[in-house]
């Protein structure tokens, strides 16, 4: 075992120790296990949410995307997320607390007074999480196998990663995730800031020098292109992603874990500043361009690691690897935890309502490895880059936004039928455009270039909103005429 | 009041999306477009802090 692997193993062991410690002295009810009894203050909620924001995607995907595409990668800075979270999360938290809700699916079921809609939302949530989970596992595999300098194959590395995550989640639930998030954040901050400064200075003698030589070798790489990943693409993607970012079942329920709405609002002030760390990840991606040239397709995800191995001693590669592993561990444990909770509480319990809480809690824990194995299957059967997987998950989960948004209105204009049809139509559109690999230009060859560059997700989203509102308009009338006689009686 | 706060909080979104797509001038070692994006992250925090301070929901001891 080399020193890189030794350090990575030590950090994995430490995170499991933290998970065990976090659990100690607390009886694990389902509520305790999944939303930490709604007792997490601003600081822990902040760290949990930051844990969402800084995942393997940030670490490997963002640097790889910068390496491959240049300026379009700047879309990872998105201020709109946090502004949205300030207004969106506190009312969600408040309603969830009043009604004692545990999951995202509960929220929809309660707002629309329909268990069937709850089941649909549960299924959409779990399906959307799979590509996101696959992405984290892929990242884990890359890190462990690269850090082993070839002694562990990527597939063996993925198995090791999955085992660690599964054991970790089964032991601890959300408390463990919050404490590992603390450890992870310190490590990532240190590693990323150091590398972001060191690499450009070491290889180019300065930041401006680095950017100037990139600009010379590849003119136009540092700005958004005229067409394709253009300004129009950029803006439409930012908007879509902010809508999707809090629709994930795990970001949704991270909001439940807050102690107060105020904790969530304070979080919205802190989070944008925290994103600044991402600029260092971008520096690393740019620094890799001349040092590890020629990576193509899904190999671009390796850019950061290849560069680290070319630059640093194995022990430091181990520290970088440990940071990367924790970056995968926190979000994937959150996701596994939430997916298992949803499947047991919002699907199984609906099917078998007589299940007791104790056996439900047990079932939830046993579902963790089941979900992990499903994700494992897709990890081994798909050759996509981290960015592609993330985009797919986002497009799917964004389809829940319209139904949620309207349900927060004082007078919800959307009926349960409308919500149902809208979500299904949106999903169908996402699946069609993803599977056929269509772009706006393929679907609408005659529209102006600006529209052709729009994120393809806009189509599914627009279809969703139109169907939601149209079906609601029709069904509302039907409901009204049904309801009127009862009203006059009352 | 709430309406003005909505507007105030939208300002950073609007400006951070309004992409200045150029390399020159370099600011703090970054191409201008990158600097612009980072600048608006900082300003988003500032704006959201102002909104937080003005928002009646955050006043008084009742933590909701």
């Amino acid at each position: 075992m080399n020193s890189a692997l030794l350090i990575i193993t030590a950090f994995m062991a430490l995170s499991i120790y933290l998970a065990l410690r976090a659990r100690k002295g607390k009886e694990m009810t389902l509520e305790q296990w999944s939303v930490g009894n709604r007792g997490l203050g601003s600081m822990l909620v902040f760290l949990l949410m930051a844990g969402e924001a800084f995942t393997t995607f940030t670490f490997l995907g963002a640097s790889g995307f910068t390496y491959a595409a240049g300026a379009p990668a700047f879309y990872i800075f998105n201020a709109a997320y946090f502004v949205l979270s300030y207004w969106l999360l506190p009312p969600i938290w408040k309603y969830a607390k009043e009604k004692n809700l545990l999951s995202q699916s509960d929220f929809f079921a309660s707002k629309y007074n329909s268990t069937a809609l709850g089941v649909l939302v549960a299924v959409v949530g779990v399906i959307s999480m799979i590509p996101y989970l696959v992405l984290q596992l892929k990242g884990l595999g890359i890190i462990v196998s690269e850090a082993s300098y070839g002694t562990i194959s990527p597939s063996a590395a993925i198995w090791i990663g999955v085992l660690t995550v599964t054991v970790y989640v089964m032991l601890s639930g959300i408390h463990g995730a919050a404490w590992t998030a603390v450890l992870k954040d310190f490590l990532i901050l240190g590693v990323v800031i150091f590398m972001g400064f060191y690499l450009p200075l070491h290889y180019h003698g300065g930041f401006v020098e680095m950017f100037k030589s990139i600009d010379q070798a590849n003119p136009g790489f540092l700005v958004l292109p005229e067409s394709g990943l253009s300004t129009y693409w950029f803006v439409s993607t930012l908007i879509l992603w902010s809508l999707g970012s809090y629709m994930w079942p795990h970001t949704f329920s991270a909001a439940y874990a807050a102690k107060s709405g105020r904790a969530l609002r304070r979080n919205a002030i802190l989070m944008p500043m925290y994103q600044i760390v991402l600029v260092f990840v971008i520096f690393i991606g740019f620094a890799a361009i001349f040092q590890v040239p020629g990576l193509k397709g899904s190999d671009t995800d390796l850019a950061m690691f290849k560069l680290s191995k070319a630059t640093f001693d194995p022990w430091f590669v181990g520290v970088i690897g440990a940071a990367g592993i924790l970056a995968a561990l926190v979000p994937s444990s959150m996701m596994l935890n939430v997916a298992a909770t949803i499947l047991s509480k919002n699907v199984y319990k609906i099917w078998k309502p007589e299940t007791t809480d104790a056996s439900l809690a047990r079932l939830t824990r046993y579902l963790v490895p089941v979900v992990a194995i499903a994700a494992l299957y897709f990890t081994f059967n798909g050759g996509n880059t981290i960015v592609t997987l993330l985009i797919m998950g986002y497009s799917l989960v964004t389809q829940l936004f319209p139904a949620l948004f309207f349900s927060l209105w004082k007078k919800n204009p959307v009926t349960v039928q409308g919500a149902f049809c809208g979500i299904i139509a949106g999903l169908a559109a996402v699946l069609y455009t993803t599977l056929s690999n269509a772009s706006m230009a393929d679907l609408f060859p005659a529209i102006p270039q600006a529209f052709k560059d729009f994120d393809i997700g806009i189509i599914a989203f627009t279809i969703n909103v139109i169907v939601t509102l149209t079906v609601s308009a029709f069904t509302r009338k039907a409901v009204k005429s049904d309801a009127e006689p009862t009203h006059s009686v009352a | 009041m709430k309406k003005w706060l909505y507007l105030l909080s939208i300002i950073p979104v609007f400006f951070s999306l309004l992409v200045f797509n150029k390399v020159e001038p370099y600011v703090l070692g970054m191409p201008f477009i990158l600097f612009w994006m980072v600048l608006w992250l900082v300003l988003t925090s500032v704006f959201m802090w102002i909104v937080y301070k003005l928002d009646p929901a955050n006043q008084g001891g009742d933590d909701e």
Side-chain angles (χ1 to χ4, degrees):
Chain A
M1 201 183 244
N2 65 43
S3 53
L5 271 186
L6 212 65
I7 288 177
I8 289 181
T9 316
F11 272 98
M12 278 190 172
L14 180 60
S15 62
I16 290 189
Y17 168 74
L18 283 177
L20 284 172
R21 250 188 67 115
R23 185 191 178 197
K24 218 171 161 184
K26 292 193 182 81
E27 202 194 329
M28 288 304 221
T29 62
L30 189 58
E31 183 162 16
Q32 174 69 258
W33 196 69
S34 52
V35 297
N37 264 357
R38 291 175 228 276
L40 304 184
S42 320
M43 206 54 212
L44 276 183
V45 171
F46 171 66
L47 287 167
L48 263 184
M49 295 230 168
E52 297 315 310
F54 296 94
T55 71
T56 321
F57 166 71
T58 333
F59 213 59
L60 301 177
S63 55
F65 194 35
T66 309
Y67 169 92
F74 302 163
Y75 83 102
I76 58 175
F77 299 114
N78 191 347
Y81 290 150
F82 312 114
V83 173
L84 189 71
S85 81
Y86 184 96
W87 302 109
L88 192 68
L89 298 186
I92 293 177
W93 171 85
K94 197 171 173 210
Y95 185 80
K97 192 184 175 191
E98 277 165 18
K99 305 269 171 180
N100 215 8
L101 307 177
L102 286 180
S103 70
Q104 180 188 34
S105 153
D106 295 343
F107 191 93
F108 283 80
S110 170
K111 276 278 187 188
Y112 284 94
N113 198 12
S114 155
T115 45
L117 186 66
V119 173
L120 176 71
V121 169
V123 172
V124 173
V126 174
I127 291 177
S128 316
M129 277 197 287
I130 296 281
Y132 204 128
L133 207 52
V134 169
L135 164 184
Q136 309 296 342
L137 297 180
K138 251 190 161 50
L140 271 176
I142 288 174
I143 292 165
V144 174
S145 77
E146 286 287 311
S148 75
Y149 290 83
T151 46
I152 298 178
S153 73
S155 42
I158 289 173
W159 273 104
I160 296 173
V162 172
L163 281 177
T164 315
V165 178
T166 313
V167 168
Y168 178 79
V169 178
M170 288 178 78
L171 288 178
S172 77
I174 209 171
H175 277 285
W179 284 111
T180 311
V182 177
L183 176 67
K184 173 204 88 151
D185 283 14
F186 279 113
L187 205 56
I188 288 216
L189 278 176
V191 163
V192 164
I193 292 175
F194 168 73
M195 284 170 70
F197 271 114
Y198 181 81
L199 295 170
L201 295 178
H202 179 70
Y203 284 116
H204 296 273
F207 291 97
V208 178
E209 287 79 354
M210 175 175 80
F211 286 117
K212 284 204 164 133
S213 45
I214 291 169
D215 200 32
Q216 245 164 27
N218 196 348
F221 197 67
L222 298 178
V223 289
L224 298 171
E226 287 291 316
S227 64
L229 302 177
S230 66
T231 313
Y232 301 100
W233 167 82
F234 196 87
V235 171
S236 61
T237 304
L238 285 192
I239 294 172
L240 264 187
W241 281 46
S242 1
L243 301 183
S245 57
Y246 293 100
M247 290 307 106
W248 294 97
H250 57 286
T251 41
F252 214 89
S253 60
Y256 291 4
K259 210 187 311 185
S260 65
R262 214 174 283 183
L264 291 166
R265 282 189 287 263
R266 263 197 295 267
N267 202 26
I269 306 174
L270 289 170
M271 284 297 283
M273 296 289 251
Y274 203 68
Q275 295 284 99
I276 294 170
V277 185
L278 294 178
V279 80
F280 295 100
V281 179
I282 285 181
F283 290 158
I284 298 169
F286 279 127
I289 291 174
F290 291 119
Q291 306 314 319
V292 284
L295 300 178
K296 292 262 179 298
S298 63
D299 279 349
T300 53
D301 293 335
L302 301 173
M304 170 189 267
F305 249 85
K306 292 251 188 253
L307 179 60
S308 324
K309 280 164 71 178
T311 315
F312 302 111
D313 285 345
W315 73 266
F316 192 70
V317 172
V319 175
I320 300 168
I325 294 229
L326 294 185
L329 199 61
V330 175
S332 42
S333 63
M334 279 283 272
M335 276 181 281
L336 274 179
N337 182 353
V338 170
T341 311
I342 291 173
L343 285 176
S344 70
K345 189 161 179 292
N346 299 107
V347 181
Y348 185 81
K349 172 109 188 186
I350 303 297
W351 178 45
K352 285 216 158 108
E354 71 280 3
T355 319
T356 63
D357 280 357
S359 59
L360 210 58
R362 215 172 22 247
L363 175 70
T364 307
R365 216 165 294 176
Y366 293 138
L367 275 170
V368 170
V370 176
V371 179
I373 283 171
L376 205 56
Y377 173 81
F378 288 103
T379 311
F380 288 128
N381 289 290
N384 296 314
T385 60
I386 287 180
V387 166
T388 331
L389 286 165
L390 190 64
I391 290 174
M392 194 156 110
Y394 259 95
S395 319
L396 289 169
V397 87
T398 309
Q399 304 311 322
L400 299 178
F401 187 82
L404 170 89
F405 177 72
F406 290 118
S407 82
L408 294 175
W409 287 22
K410 273 207 186 85
K411 261 192 136 159
N412 185 358
V414 169
T415 61
V416 61
Q417 294 89 336
F420 236 101
C421 298
I423 292 172
I424 300 231
L427 285 184
V430 171
L431 288 182
Y432 174 75
T433 49
T434 330
L435 295 179
S436 65
N437 224 341
S439 67
M440 292 288 273
D442 302 334
L443 296 174
F444 307 100
I447 53 170
Q449 186 61 43
F451 290 103
K452 280 186 186 164
D453 293 345
F454 271 9
D455 193 304
I456 185 79
I458 292 271
I459 302 238
F461 190 76
T462 314
I463 291 177
N464 183 336
V465 173
I466 293 172
V467 172
T468 304
L469 291 177
T470 318
V471 173
S472 298
F474 281 108
T475 46
R476 198 167 46 238
K477 268 190 201 128
V479 172
K480 231 184 227 157
S481 55
D482 270 1
E484 254 153 19
T486 22
H487 263 286
S488 54
V489 171
Chain B
M1 182 67 177
K2 213 69 190 205
K3 240 178 258 164
W4 294 110
L5 291 179
Y6 283 137
L7 279 180
L8 188 62
S9 66
I10 288 296
I11 293 171
V13 175
F14 181 73
F15 277 96
S16 62
L17 294 183
L18 201 94
V19 174
F20 281 81
N21 199 14
K22 50 186 192 174
V23 177
E24 308 267 354
Y26 285 91
V27 188
L28 298 172
M30 291 178 271
F32 191 77
I33 170 176
L34 182 56
F35 164 73
W36 183 258
M37 302 298 293
V38 174
L39 174 72
W40 276 97
L41 280 182
V42 179
L43 292 178
T44 306
S45 272
V46 174
F47 273 80
M48 292 322 287
W49 181 76
I50 297 171
V51 170
Y52 182 88
K53 283 289 162 197
L54 295 177
D55 192 347
N58 300 312
Q59 273 137 35
D62 209 26
D63 218 11
E64 67 161 31

